[in-house]
PDB file of all heavy atoms in Angstrom:
ATOM      1  N   ARG A   1     118.685 199.604 160.431  1.00 97.00           N
ATOM      2  CA  ARG A   1     117.331 199.796 159.923  1.00 97.00           C
ATOM      3  C   ARG A   1     117.142 199.027 158.690  1.00 97.00           C
ATOM      4  O   ARG A   1     116.063 198.392 158.556  1.00 97.00           O
ATOM      5  CB  ARG A   1     117.024 201.404 159.715  1.00 97.00           C
ATOM      6  CG  ARG A   1     115.630 201.798 159.794  1.00 97.00           C
ATOM      7  CD  ARG A   1     115.425 203.087 159.775  1.00 97.00           C
ATOM      8  NE  ARG A   1     116.294 203.728 158.535  1.00 97.00           N
ATOM      9  CZ  ARG A   1     116.288 204.861 158.147  1.00 97.00           C
ATOM     10  NH1 ARG A   1     115.496 205.742 158.792  1.00 97.00           N
ATOM     11  NH2 ARG A   1     117.103 205.312 157.189  1.00 97.00           N
ATOM     12  N   GLU A   2     118.101 199.123 157.723  1.00 97.00           N
ATOM     13  CA  GLU A   2     117.932 198.360 156.484  1.00 97.00           C
ATOM     14  C   GLU A   2     117.857 196.899 156.831  1.00 97.00           C
ATOM     15  O   GLU A   2     117.120 196.046 156.232  1.00 97.00           O
ATOM     16  CB  GLU A   2     119.065 198.667 155.531  1.00 97.00           C
ATOM     17  CG  GLU A   2     119.028 200.027 154.979  1.00 97.00           C
ATOM     18  CD  GLU A   2     120.220 200.413 154.120  1.00 97.00           C
ATOM     19  OE1 GLU A   2     121.084 199.606 153.927  1.00 97.00           O
ATOM     20  OE2 GLU A   2     120.230 201.572 153.675  1.00 97.00           O
ATOM     21  N   ARG A   3     118.611 196.391 157.717  1.00 97.00           N
ATOM     22  CA  ARG A   3     118.877 194.946 158.051  1.00 97.00           C
ATOM     23  C   ARG A   3     117.471 194.388 158.672  1.00 97.00           C
ATOM     24  O   ARG A   3     117.009 193.505 158.355  1.00 97.00           O
ATOM     25  CB  ARG A   3     119.958 194.703 159.022  1.00 97.00           C
ATOM     26  CG  ARG A   3     120.056 193.215 159.475  1.00 97.00           C
ATOM     27  CD  ARG A   3     121.238 193.002 160.416  1.00 97.00           C
ATOM     28  NE  ARG A   3     120.866 193.831 161.592  1.00 97.00           N
ATOM     29  CZ  ARG A   3     121.695 193.715 162.694  1.00 97.00           C
ATOM     30  NH1 ARG A   3     122.758 192.856 162.705  1.00 97.00           N
ATOM     31  NH2 ARG A   3     121.340 194.379 163.709  1.00 97.00           N
ATOM     32  N   THR A   4     116.893 195.322 159.561  1.00 97.00           N
ATOM     33  CA  THR A   4     115.610 195.004 160.191  1.00 97.00           C
ATOM     34  C   THR A   4     114.460 194.875 159.175  1.00 97.00           C
ATOM     35  O   THR A   4     113.709 193.869 159.226  1.00 97.00           O
ATOM     36  CB  THR A   4     115.137 196.116 161.226  1.00 97.00           C
ATOM     37  OG1 THR A   4     116.236 196.103 162.238  1.00 97.00           O
ATOM     38  CG2 THR A   4     113.879 195.748 161.936  1.00 97.00           C
ATOM     39  N   LYS A   5     114.499 195.681 158.133  1.00 97.00           N
ATOM     40  CA  LYS A   5     113.465 195.572 157.183  1.00 97.00           C
ATOM     41  C   LYS A   5     113.676 194.369 156.197  1.00 97.00           C
ATOM     42  O   LYS A   5     112.748 193.737 155.922  1.00 97.00           O
ATOM     43  CB  LYS A   5     113.634 196.959 156.210  1.00 97.00           C
ATOM     44  CG  LYS A   5     112.455 196.826 155.068  1.00 97.00           C
ATOM     45  CD  LYS A   5     112.671 198.046 154.233  1.00 97.00           C
ATOM     46  CE  LYS A   5     111.760 198.141 153.022  1.00 97.00           C
ATOM     47  NZ  LYS A   5     111.406 196.941 152.448  1.00 97.00           N
ATOM     48  N   ALA A   6     114.954 194.055 155.909  1.00 97.00           N
ATOM     49  CA  ALA A   6     115.296 192.868 155.041  1.00 97.00           C
ATOM     50  C   ALA A   6     114.928 191.588 155.930  1.00 97.00           C
ATOM     51  O   ALA A   6     114.369 190.653 155.395  1.00 97.00           O
ATOM     52  CB  ALA A   6     116.680 192.896 154.725  1.00 97.00           C
ATOM     53  N   MET A   7     115.074 191.613 157.224  1.00 97.00           N
ATOM     54  CA  MET A   7     114.628 190.533 158.073  1.00 97.00           C
ATOM     55  C   MET A   7     113.127 190.288 158.033  1.00 97.00           C
ATOM     56  O   MET A   7     112.710 189.127 157.875  1.00 97.00           O
ATOM     57  CB  MET A   7     115.244 190.581 159.449  1.00 97.00           C
ATOM     58  CG  MET A   7     116.774 190.487 159.537  1.00 97.00           C
ATOM     59  SD  MET A   7     117.400 190.910 161.162  1.00 97.00           S
ATOM     60  CE  MET A   7     117.031 189.469 162.092  1.00 97.00           C
ATOM     61  N   LYS A   8     112.436 191.419 158.150  1.00 97.00           N
ATOM     62  CA  LYS A   8     110.962 191.321 158.165  1.00 97.00           C
ATOM     63  C   LYS A   8     110.556 190.783 156.809  1.00 97.00           C
ATOM     64  O   LYS A   8     109.511 190.238 156.711  1.00 97.00           O
ATOM     65  CB  LYS A   8     110.466 192.686 158.449  1.00 97.00           C
ATOM     66  CG  LYS A   8     110.460 193.097 159.925  1.00 97.00           C
ATOM     67  CD  LYS A   8     109.845 194.463 160.125  1.00 97.00           C
ATOM     68  CE  LYS A   8     110.012 194.790 161.596  1.00 97.00           C
ATOM     69  NZ  LYS A   8     109.501 196.127 161.817  1.00 97.00           N
ATOM     70  N   ASP A   9     111.191 191.162 155.693  1.00 97.00           N
ATOM     71  CA  ASP A   9     110.791 190.862 154.379  1.00 97.00           C
ATOM     72  C   ASP A   9     111.322 189.444 154.069  1.00 97.00           C
ATOM     73  O   ASP A   9     110.869 188.881 153.101  1.00 97.00           O
ATOM     74  CB  ASP A   9     111.394 191.817 153.295  1.00 97.00           C
ATOM     75  CG  ASP A   9     111.002 193.199 153.361  1.00 97.00           C
ATOM     76  OD1 ASP A   9     109.857 193.410 154.046  1.00 97.00           O
ATOM     77  OD2 ASP A   9     111.438 194.098 152.840  1.00 97.00           O
ATOM     78  N   GLY A  10     112.009 188.805 154.951  1.00 97.00           N
ATOM     79  CA  GLY A  10     112.594 187.381 154.750  1.00 97.00           C
ATOM     80  C   GLY A  10     113.571 187.315 153.678  1.00 97.00           C
ATOM     81  O   GLY A  10     113.715 186.273 153.168  1.00 97.00           O
ATOM     82  N   ASP A  11     114.314 188.474 153.468  1.00 97.00           N
ATOM     83  CA  ASP A  11     115.296 188.491 152.255  1.00 97.00           C
ATOM     84  C   ASP A  11     116.721 188.125 152.913  1.00 97.00           C
ATOM     85  O   ASP A  11     117.412 188.973 153.276  1.00 97.00           O
ATOM     86  CB  ASP A  11     115.265 189.901 151.633  1.00 97.00           C
ATOM     87  CG  ASP A  11     116.161 189.906 150.331  1.00 97.00           C
ATOM     88  OD1 ASP A  11     117.131 189.055 150.176  1.00 97.00           O
ATOM     89  OD2 ASP A  11     116.061 190.876 149.724  1.00 97.00           O
ATOM     90  N   LYS A  12     117.055 186.824 152.833  1.00 97.00           N
ATOM     91  CA  LYS A  12     118.260 186.405 153.558  1.00 97.00           C
ATOM     92  C   LYS A  12     119.482 186.848 152.941  1.00 97.00           C
ATOM     93  O   LYS A  12     120.428 187.184 153.503  1.00 97.00           O
ATOM     94  CB  LYS A  12     118.293 184.765 153.642  1.00 97.00           C
ATOM     95  CG  LYS A  12     117.285 184.202 154.592  1.00 97.00           C
ATOM     96  CD  LYS A  12     117.444 182.794 154.631  1.00 97.00           C
ATOM     97  CE  LYS A  12     116.339 182.190 155.538  1.00 97.00           C
ATOM     98  NZ  LYS A  12     116.254 180.805 155.651  1.00 97.00           N
ATOM     99  N   ALA A  13     119.394 186.908 151.479  1.00 97.00           N
ATOM    100  CA  ALA A  13     120.594 187.505 150.788  1.00 97.00           C
ATOM    101  C   ALA A  13     120.769 188.871 151.165  1.00 97.00           C
ATOM    102  O   ALA A  13     122.006 189.301 151.264  1.00 97.00           O
ATOM    103  CB  ALA A  13     120.381 187.361 149.239  1.00 97.00           C
ATOM    104  N   GLU A  14     119.822 189.688 151.223  1.00 97.00           N
ATOM    105  CA  GLU A  14     119.881 191.104 151.650  1.00 97.00           C
ATOM    106  C   GLU A  14     120.507 191.338 153.034  1.00 97.00           C
ATOM    107  O   GLU A  14     121.341 192.164 153.349  1.00 97.00           O
ATOM    108  CB  GLU A  14     118.704 191.943 151.472  1.00 97.00           C
ATOM    109  CG  GLU A  14     118.843 193.304 151.681  1.00 97.00           C
ATOM    110  CD  GLU A  14     119.536 194.186 150.787  1.00 97.00           C
ATOM    111  OE1 GLU A  14     119.915 193.563 149.660  1.00 97.00           O
ATOM    112  OE2 GLU A  14     119.924 195.255 151.058  1.00 97.00           O
ATOM    113  N   VAL A  15     119.906 190.485 153.993  1.00 97.00           N
ATOM    114  CA  VAL A  15     120.473 190.422 155.328  1.00 97.00           C
ATOM    115  C   VAL A  15     121.976 190.225 155.313  1.00 97.00           C
ATOM    116  O   VAL A  15     122.796 190.873 156.043  1.00 97.00           O
ATOM    117  CB  VAL A  15     119.706 189.411 156.174  1.00 97.00           C
ATOM    118  CG1 VAL A  15     120.380 189.415 157.595  1.00 97.00           C
ATOM    119  CG2 VAL A  15     118.256 189.894 156.320  1.00 97.00           C
ATOM    120  N   GLN A  16     122.559 189.179 154.552  1.00 97.00           N
ATOM    121  CA  GLN A  16     123.882 188.797 154.545  1.00 97.00           C
ATOM    122  C   GLN A  16     124.682 190.007 153.875  1.00 97.00           C
ATOM    123  O   GLN A  16     125.769 190.207 154.441  1.00 97.00           O
ATOM    124  CB  GLN A  16     124.120 187.503 153.826  1.00 97.00           C
ATOM    125  CG  GLN A  16     123.576 186.308 154.484  1.00 97.00           C
ATOM    126  CD  GLN A  16     123.747 185.083 153.695  1.00 97.00           C
ATOM    127  OE1 GLN A  16     123.731 185.083 152.378  1.00 97.00           O
ATOM    128  NE2 GLN A  16     123.907 183.937 154.339  1.00 97.00           N
ATOM    129  N   ALA A  17     124.222 190.623 152.811  1.00 96.00           N
ATOM    130  CA  ALA A  17     124.851 191.666 152.250  1.00 96.00           C
ATOM    131  C   ALA A  17     125.054 192.884 153.153  1.00 96.00           C
ATOM    132  O   ALA A  17     126.144 193.578 153.344  1.00 96.00           O
ATOM    133  CB  ALA A  17     124.172 192.059 150.926  1.00 96.00           C
ATOM    134  N   ILE A  18     124.033 193.189 154.009  1.00 96.00           N
ATOM    135  CA  ILE A  18     124.012 194.226 154.991  1.00 96.00           C
ATOM    136  C   ILE A  18     125.024 193.860 156.120  1.00 96.00           C
ATOM    137  O   ILE A  18     125.710 194.754 156.565  1.00 96.00           O
ATOM    138  CB  ILE A  18     122.613 194.614 155.533  1.00 96.00           C
ATOM    139  CG1 ILE A  18     121.779 195.172 154.342  1.00 96.00           C
ATOM    140  CG2 ILE A  18     122.686 195.527 156.722  1.00 96.00           C
ATOM    141  CD1 ILE A  18     120.327 195.254 154.663  1.00 96.00           C
ATOM    142  N   GLU A  19     125.035 192.674 156.563  1.00 96.00           N
ATOM    143  CA  GLU A  19     126.009 192.234 157.590  1.00 96.00           C
ATOM    144  C   GLU A  19     127.462 192.390 157.129  1.00 96.00           C
ATOM    145  O   GLU A  19     128.293 192.877 157.883  1.00 96.00           O
ATOM    146  CB  GLU A  19     125.719 190.720 158.005  1.00 96.00           C
ATOM    147  CG  GLU A  19     124.526 190.472 158.898  1.00 96.00           C
ATOM    148  CD  GLU A  19     124.769 191.174 160.201  1.00 96.00           C
ATOM    149  OE1 GLU A  19     125.860 191.202 160.671  1.00 96.00           O
ATOM    150  OE2 GLU A  19     123.669 191.646 160.830  1.00 96.00           O
ATOM    151  N   LEU A  20     127.724 192.121 155.817  1.00 96.00           N
ATOM    152  CA  LEU A  20     129.023 192.323 155.299  1.00 96.00           C
ATOM    153  C   LEU A  20     129.297 193.773 155.381  1.00 96.00           C
ATOM    154  O   LEU A  20     130.412 194.277 155.700  1.00 96.00           O
ATOM    155  CB  LEU A  20     129.137 191.788 153.908  1.00 96.00           C
ATOM    156  CG  LEU A  20     129.299 190.398 153.757  1.00 96.00           C
ATOM    157  CD1 LEU A  20     129.254 189.781 152.314  1.00 96.00           C
ATOM    158  CD2 LEU A  20     130.539 189.845 154.427  1.00 96.00           C
ATOM    159  N   ASP A  21     128.327 194.692 154.982  1.00 95.00           N
ATOM    160  CA  ASP A  21     128.567 196.107 154.938  1.00 95.00           C
ATOM    161  C   ASP A  21     128.858 196.625 156.431  1.00 95.00           C
ATOM    162  O   ASP A  21     129.575 197.494 156.610  1.00 95.00           O
ATOM    163  CB  ASP A  21     127.320 196.902 154.380  1.00 95.00           C
ATOM    164  CG  ASP A  21     127.247 196.764 152.906  1.00 95.00           C
ATOM    165  OD1 ASP A  21     128.297 196.347 152.268  1.00 95.00           O
ATOM    166  OD2 ASP A  21     126.130 197.090 152.379  1.00 95.00           O
ATOM    167  N   ARG A  22     128.145 196.061 157.387  1.00 96.00           N
ATOM    168  CA  ARG A  22     128.288 196.447 158.729  1.00 96.00           C
ATOM    169  C   ARG A  22     129.711 196.042 159.185  1.00 96.00           C
ATOM    170  O   ARG A  22     130.472 196.905 159.768  1.00 96.00           O
ATOM    171  CB  ARG A  22     127.344 195.758 159.705  1.00 96.00           C
ATOM    172  CG  ARG A  22     125.872 196.168 159.487  1.00 96.00           C
ATOM    173  CD  ARG A  22     124.843 195.505 160.416  1.00 96.00           C
ATOM    174  NE  ARG A  22     124.961 196.018 161.790  1.00 96.00           N
ATOM    175  CZ  ARG A  22     125.425 195.306 162.947  1.00 96.00           C
ATOM    176  NH1 ARG A  22     125.816 194.189 162.746  1.00 96.00           N
ATOM    177  NH2 ARG A  22     125.369 195.947 164.157  1.00 96.00           N
ATOM    178  N   GLN A  23     130.149 194.952 158.789  1.00 95.00           N
ATOM    179  CA  GLN A  23     131.547 194.470 159.234  1.00 95.00           C
ATOM    180  C   GLN A  23     132.565 195.468 158.628  1.00 95.00           C
ATOM    181  O   GLN A  23     133.580 195.849 159.152  1.00 95.00           O
ATOM    182  CB  GLN A  23     131.804 193.124 158.755  1.00 95.00           C
ATOM    183  CG  GLN A  23     130.995 192.100 159.497  1.00 95.00           C
ATOM    184  CD  GLN A  23     131.197 190.715 158.935  1.00 95.00           C
ATOM    185  OE1 GLN A  23     131.972 190.314 158.083  1.00 95.00           O
ATOM    186  NE2 GLN A  23     130.343 189.869 159.459  1.00 95.00           N
ATOM    187  N   LYS A  24     132.386 195.875 157.326  1.00 94.00           N
ATOM    188  CA  LYS A  24     133.342 196.775 156.573  1.00 94.00           C
ATOM    189  C   LYS A  24     133.235 198.079 157.398  1.00 94.00           C
ATOM    190  O   LYS A  24     134.353 198.717 157.413  1.00 94.00           O
ATOM    191  CB  LYS A  24     132.884 196.947 155.133  1.00 94.00           C
ATOM    192  CG  LYS A  24     133.154 195.658 154.379  1.00 94.00           C
ATOM    193  CD  LYS A  24     132.645 195.830 152.949  1.00 94.00           C
ATOM    194  CE  LYS A  24     132.698 194.593 152.106  1.00 94.00           C
ATOM    195  NZ  LYS A  24     132.105 194.712 150.779  1.00 94.00           N
ATOM    196  N   VAL A  25     132.117 198.509 157.784  1.00 95.00           N
ATOM    197  CA  VAL A  25     132.083 199.885 158.396  1.00 95.00           C
ATOM    198  C   VAL A  25     132.699 199.853 159.744  1.00 95.00           C
ATOM    199  O   VAL A  25     133.463 200.723 160.073  1.00 95.00           O
ATOM    200  CB  VAL A  25     130.533 200.344 158.550  1.00 95.00           C
ATOM    201  CG1 VAL A  25     130.360 201.469 159.499  1.00 95.00           C
ATOM    202  CG2 VAL A  25     130.011 200.648 157.234  1.00 95.00           C
ATOM    203  N   TYR A  26     132.524 198.715 160.436  1.00 93.00           N
ATOM    204  CA  TYR A  26     133.221 198.575 161.873  1.00 93.00           C
ATOM    205  C   TYR A  26     134.727 198.664 161.557  1.00 93.00           C
ATOM    206  O   TYR A  26     135.521 199.279 162.380  1.00 93.00           O
ATOM    207  CB  TYR A  26     132.762 197.346 162.423  1.00 93.00           C
ATOM    208  CG  TYR A  26     131.728 197.448 163.333  1.00 93.00           C
ATOM    209  CD1 TYR A  26     130.404 197.070 163.085  1.00 93.00           C
ATOM    210  CD2 TYR A  26     131.744 198.078 164.677  1.00 93.00           C
ATOM    211  CE1 TYR A  26     129.287 197.088 163.956  1.00 93.00           C
ATOM    212  CE2 TYR A  26     130.761 198.152 165.643  1.00 93.00           C
ATOM    213  CZ  TYR A  26     129.517 197.596 165.223  1.00 93.00           C
ATOM    214  OH  TYR A  26     128.365 197.769 166.004  1.00 93.00           O
ATOM    215  N   LYS A  27     135.188 197.920 160.575  1.00 93.00           N
ATOM    216  CA  LYS A  27     136.546 197.775 160.199  1.00 93.00           C
ATOM    217  C   LYS A  27     137.189 199.117 159.885  1.00 93.00           C
ATOM    218  O   LYS A  27     138.219 199.539 160.469  1.00 93.00           O
ATOM    219  CB  LYS A  27     136.915 196.754 159.207  1.00 93.00           C
ATOM    220  CG  LYS A  27     138.405 196.491 158.945  1.00 93.00           C
ATOM    221  CD  LYS A  27     138.581 195.554 157.882  1.00 93.00           C
ATOM    222  CE  LYS A  27     140.011 195.181 157.813  1.00 93.00           C
ATOM    223  NZ  LYS A  27     140.410 194.780 156.457  1.00 93.00           N
ATOM    224  N   ALA A  28     136.626 199.886 159.056  1.00 92.00           N
ATOM    225  CA  ALA A  28     137.143 201.132 158.649  1.00 92.00           C
ATOM    226  C   ALA A  28     137.146 202.120 159.873  1.00 92.00           C
ATOM    227  O   ALA A  28     138.084 202.816 159.994  1.00 92.00           O
ATOM    228  CB  ALA A  28     136.098 201.725 157.599  1.00 92.00           C
ATOM    229  N   PHE A  29     136.107 202.029 160.584  1.00 90.00           N
ATOM    230  CA  PHE A  29     136.127 202.942 161.898  1.00 90.00           C
ATOM    231  C   PHE A  29     137.302 202.717 162.766  1.00 90.00           C
ATOM    232  O   PHE A  29     137.932 203.501 163.281  1.00 90.00           O
ATOM    233  CB  PHE A  29     134.790 202.949 162.530  1.00 90.00           C
ATOM    234  CG  PHE A  29     134.711 203.803 163.840  1.00 90.00           C
ATOM    235  CD1 PHE A  29     134.714 205.197 163.730  1.00 90.00           C
ATOM    236  CD2 PHE A  29     134.756 203.153 165.058  1.00 90.00           C
ATOM    237  CE1 PHE A  29     134.735 205.893 164.832  1.00 90.00           C
ATOM    238  CE2 PHE A  29     134.788 203.862 166.281  1.00 90.00           C
ATOM    239  CZ  PHE A  29     134.785 205.320 166.073  1.00 90.00           C
ATOM    240  N   ASN A  30     137.336 201.368 162.997  1.00 89.00           N
ATOM    241  CA  ASN A  30     138.382 200.912 163.994  1.00 89.00           C
ATOM    242  C   ASN A  30     139.861 201.201 163.577  1.00 89.00           C
ATOM    243  O   ASN A  30     140.685 201.434 164.353  1.00 89.00           O
ATOM    244  CB  ASN A  30     138.213 199.340 164.346  1.00 89.00           C
ATOM    245  CG  ASN A  30     137.090 199.172 165.194  1.00 89.00           C
ATOM    246  OD1 ASN A  30     136.684 199.989 165.935  1.00 89.00           O
ATOM    247  ND2 ASN A  30     136.448 197.955 165.133  1.00 89.00           N
ATOM    248  N   GLU A  31     139.962 201.120 162.205  1.00 90.00           N
ATOM    249  CA  GLU A  31     141.269 201.518 161.530  1.00 90.00           C
ATOM    250  C   GLU A  31     141.631 202.941 161.416  1.00 90.00           C
ATOM    251  O   GLU A  31     142.569 203.417 160.863  1.00 90.00           O
ATOM    252  CB  GLU A  31     141.476 200.619 160.291  1.00 90.00           C
ATOM    253  CG  GLU A  31     141.532 199.127 160.493  1.00 90.00           C
ATOM    254  CD  GLU A  31     141.548 198.393 159.175  1.00 90.00           C
ATOM    255  OE1 GLU A  31     141.439 199.005 158.151  1.00 90.00           O
ATOM    256  OE2 GLU A  31     141.684 197.166 159.169  1.00 90.00           O
ATOM    257  N   GLY A  32     140.505 203.747 161.716  1.00 87.00           N
ATOM    258  CA  GLY A  32     140.708 205.189 161.601  1.00 87.00           C
ATOM    259  C   GLY A  32     140.590 205.645 160.189  1.00 87.00           C
ATOM    260  O   GLY A  32     140.968 206.705 159.850  1.00 87.00           O
ATOM    261  N   LYS A  33     139.911 204.912 159.311  1.00 87.00           N
ATOM    262  CA  LYS A  33     139.794 205.254 158.025  1.00 87.00           C
ATOM    263  C   LYS A  33     138.342 205.919 157.727  1.00 87.00           C
ATOM    264  O   LYS A  33     137.423 205.757 158.526  1.00 87.00           O
ATOM    265  CB  LYS A  33     139.840 204.017 156.989  1.00 87.00           C
ATOM    266  CG  LYS A  33     141.235 203.355 157.032  1.00 87.00           C
ATOM    267  CD  LYS A  33     141.226 202.197 156.228  1.00 87.00           C
ATOM    268  CE  LYS A  33     142.487 201.526 156.289  1.00 87.00           C
ATOM    269  NZ  LYS A  33     142.523 200.188 155.579  1.00 87.00           N
ATOM    270  N   PRO A  34     138.228 206.672 156.685  1.00 86.00           N
ATOM    271  CA  PRO A  34     136.916 207.314 156.423  1.00 86.00           C
ATOM    272  C   PRO A  34     135.965 206.209 156.053  1.00 86.00           C
ATOM    273  O   PRO A  34     136.429 205.178 155.351  1.00 86.00           O
ATOM    274  CB  PRO A  34     137.286 208.197 155.018  1.00 86.00           C
ATOM    275  CG  PRO A  34     138.642 208.437 155.126  1.00 86.00           C
ATOM    276  CD  PRO A  34     139.299 207.239 155.770  1.00 86.00           C
ATOM    277  N   LEU A  35     134.644 206.303 156.290  1.00 85.00           N
ATOM    278  CA  LEU A  35     133.750 205.255 156.103  1.00 85.00           C
ATOM    279  C   LEU A  35     133.592 204.949 154.605  1.00 85.00           C
ATOM    280  O   LEU A  35     133.144 203.847 154.247  1.00 85.00           O
ATOM    281  CB  LEU A  35     132.410 205.598 156.671  1.00 85.00           C
ATOM    282  CG  LEU A  35     132.394 205.669 158.229  1.00 85.00           C
ATOM    283  CD1 LEU A  35     130.964 205.946 158.683  1.00 85.00           C
ATOM    284  CD2 LEU A  35     133.013 204.414 158.842  1.00 85.00           C
ATOM    285  N   GLU A  36     133.801 205.993 153.738  1.00 85.00           N
ATOM    286  CA  GLU A  36     133.685 205.802 152.357  1.00 85.00           C
ATOM    287  C   GLU A  36     134.553 204.739 151.782  1.00 85.00           C
ATOM    288  O   GLU A  36     134.204 204.016 150.918  1.00 85.00           O
ATOM    289  CB  GLU A  36     134.108 206.997 151.548  1.00 85.00           C
ATOM    290  CG  GLU A  36     133.076 208.258 151.833  1.00 85.00           C
ATOM    291  CD  GLU A  36     133.579 209.007 153.074  1.00 85.00           C
ATOM    292  OE1 GLU A  36     134.802 209.151 153.326  1.00 85.00           O
ATOM    293  OE2 GLU A  36     132.628 209.544 153.649  1.00 85.00           O
ATOM    294  N   GLU A  37     135.752 204.457 152.517  1.00 85.00           N
ATOM    295  CA  GLU A  37     136.646 203.296 152.124  1.00 85.00           C
ATOM    296  C   GLU A  37     136.084 201.976 152.415  1.00 85.00           C
ATOM    297  O   GLU A  37     136.513 201.031 151.886  1.00 85.00           O
ATOM    298  CB  GLU A  37     137.944 203.555 152.834  1.00 85.00           C
ATOM    299  CG  GLU A  37     138.722 204.690 152.303  1.00 85.00           C
ATOM    300  CD  GLU A  37     140.169 204.736 152.852  1.00 85.00           C
ATOM    301  OE1 GLU A  37     140.655 203.698 153.205  1.00 85.00           O
ATOM    302  OE2 GLU A  37     140.754 205.799 152.772  1.00 85.00           O
ATOM    303  N   ALA A  38     135.146 201.936 153.308  1.00 82.00           N
ATOM    304  CA  ALA A  38     134.452 200.654 153.735  1.00 82.00           C
ATOM    305  C   ALA A  38     133.633 199.998 152.458  1.00 82.00           C
ATOM    306  O   ALA A  38     133.655 198.836 152.362  1.00 82.00           O
ATOM    307  CB  ALA A  38     133.399 200.920 154.827  1.00 82.00           C
TER     308      ALA A  38
END
């Protein structure tokens, strides 16, 4: 939802930051770690 908003606002830096967060969340989940560690 945050990424969609940032895309609509044209905020490329925010979109990239959110993409990094998404990757970290996926990684934490796949490794069985709590999401807070992401």
Side-chain angles (χ1 to χ4, degrees):
R1 203 173 47 174
E2 290 174 3
R3 182 181 62 177
T4 299
K5 183 182 180 316
M7 290 170 80
K8 285 180 182 177
D9 294 345
D11 190 343
K12 291 181 182 180
E14 183 66 13
V15 171
Q16 288 177 335
I18 293 168
E19 281 299 325
L20 287 175
D21 285 346
R22 290 177 82 247
Q23 290 172 10
K24 291 175 185 177
V25 167
Y26 269 105
K27 185 176 183 208
F29 177 73
N30 288 331
E31 293 176 354
K33 297 178 181 175
L35 295 183
E36 298 81 37
E37 289 189 24

